[in-house]
Amino acid sequence: MKKIIIIVLMLLAGIGLYYYPTVSNTLNVAAGFSAKNICSGFFISGFNADDIVEEALLPIDDAFNHVNYDIDEKTKSVTTNIFGLFERLAVFREGLGCTLLVPGQISLATKIIPLKTTEPNLTPWPSGLAEVESNDSNI
């Protein structure tokens, strides 16, 4: 009986080791996807984080029930993990949105200055974006 139990345990361990990279990658992607979406929804759109999980993540897959998240409003970042593992970090930058960091990275290495927006050209079309002022048949 002991031999059968040992063989079954070894078989289960072998199957677990065979599928671990696939499961590990999937959970890492799910944690990153969650961090980025919660960060964007919370800091850009102003949604409640629980609503983002309920309305944007859970309809994709029930596995997102196992995602834990922490929002740090001081550093404008979102940290997620699944079962305490596969931790991912997304950081919000004004004018640029949220950036998902590489696993293990704790801050952005470069400073990026967002482009300044300009006022739209309101001259009549076709020179600008405003409507044509007359119904000229020569157009």
Side-chain angles (χ1 to χ4, degrees), residues 64-114:
F64 288 104
N65 274 323
H66 306 293
V67 173
N68 301 310
Y69 62 88
D70 179 45
I71 298 174
D72 187 347
E73 292 190 49
K74 182 180 177 188
T75 61
K76 293 190 175 185
S77 64
V78 174
T79 305
T80 59
N81 67 63
I82 299 176
F83 302 121
L85 304 169
F86 310 103
E87 188 171 288
R88 297 302 301 269
L89 175 66
V91 178
F92 172 75
R93 295 183 290 172
E94 193 67 44
L96 297 173
C98 291
T99 302
L100 180 64
L101 303 183
V102 175
Q105 187 179 3
I106 57 173
S107 66
L108 293 167
T110 59
K111 298 284 184 194
I112 298 175
I113 300 170

Side-chain angles (χ1 to χ4, degrees), residues 109-124:
T110 59
K111 298 284 184 194
I112 298 175
I113 300 170
L115 296 174
K116 293 182 181 178
T117 58
T118 59
E119 294 297 320
N121 182 354
L122 297 178
T123 57

Side-chain angles (χ1 to χ4, degrees), residues 2-85:
K2 280 186 175 182
K3 286 184 179 182
I4 294 173
I5 292 173
I6 291 173
I7 291 172
V8 168
L9 289 176
M10 289 178 67
L11 184 63
L12 290 174
I15 291 170
L17 289 174
Y18 178 77
Y19 285 107
Y20 176 74
T22 303
V23 172
S24 173
N25 288 339
T26 301
L27 294 176
N28 191 32
V29 168
F33 182 82
S34 300
K36 171 67 172 74
N37 280 282
I38 293 171
C39 182
S40 294
F42 186 82
F43 290 111
I44 296 172
S45 301
F47 295 133
N48 179 306
D50 291 331
D51 292 341
I52 297 167
V53 172
E54 186 72 29
E55 296 174 15
L57 299 179
L58 288 179
I60 296 171
D61 196 285
D62 287 335
F64 288 104
N65 274 323
H66 306 293
V67 173
N68 301 310
Y69 62 88
D70 179 45
I71 298 174
D72 187 347
E73 292 190 49
K74 182 180 177 188
T75 61
K76 293 190 175 185
S77 64
V78 174
T79 305
T80 59
N81 67 63
I82 299 176
F83 302 121
L85 304 169

